[in-house]
Amino acid sequence: MSHSQNPLPDEAAELLSQAERSSADSVHSTAAPRAFMIVLGIVSAAIISLYGVIDTALWHWSPVLFAPLIAWYALWARQRPKRRPALKHSGKYIAVMLLMMLALQFSNFWMPQTWLFAILKFLALVAVFTGALWIMRRETIKSRIKDGNEQAI
């Protein structure tokens, strides 16, 4: 074999790290934007924390606030290549998803009667939701990179 087919160890390491960076950049470019995840957490926390404080009929219409988020994500996703889903989620992803569901369930036991308590509930839910969504996004990216590196060419 010629020398061009067998690169030196330093060249091989550089090519491998370049391929790793390219893979990571590709995965990051197809993941949902961080700002979207933060706004999603804030809107979800706001809707859940307002139950019992505002009129029930108005609260039932509050999921309409997700319409701009859906439009934002749809327009953003059209400009990006279709992302490949992670084949297997990590244990951290599942644990954080369960924590988020548990926090949502426990928040149903806390029915604020005043605006002050609604704001406190909102802040607690924002912290849990945005933190959980952030970790779930990070773990999905890690899983997709790992899965992509393990695929046969």
Side-chain angles (χ1 to χ4, degrees), residues 27-96:
V27 169
H28 279 284
S29 71
T30 58
R34 290 180 180 140
F36 175 80
M37 302 302 275
I38 291 170
V39 173
L40 178 66
I42 290 171
V43 170
S44 300
I47 290 172
I48 293 166
S49 63
L50 287 176
Y51 186 73
V53 176
I54 62 173
D55 184 46
T56 308
L58 180 62
W59 185 82
H60 284 294
W61 280 97
S62 61
V64 171
L65 295 174
F66 286 113
L69 285 175
I70 292 168
W72 176 13
Y73 187 78
L75 290 174
W76 175 84
R78 287 180 54 167
Q79 300 169 358
R80 299 287 181 191
K82 184 176 180 180
R83 71 184 192 114
R84 187 184 76 245
L87 297 178
K88 179 180 165 188
H89 287 294
S90 68
K92 274 187 187 177
Y93 180 94
I94 301 300
V96 169

Side-chain angles (χ1 to χ4, degrees), residues 3 6 9 24 46 53 68 70 80 92 110 112 136-137 149:
H3 177 68
N6 293 324
V53 176
I70 292 168
R80 299 287 181 191
K92 274 187 187 177
W110 181 12
M136 289 167 64
R137 179 184 183 273
N149 290 339

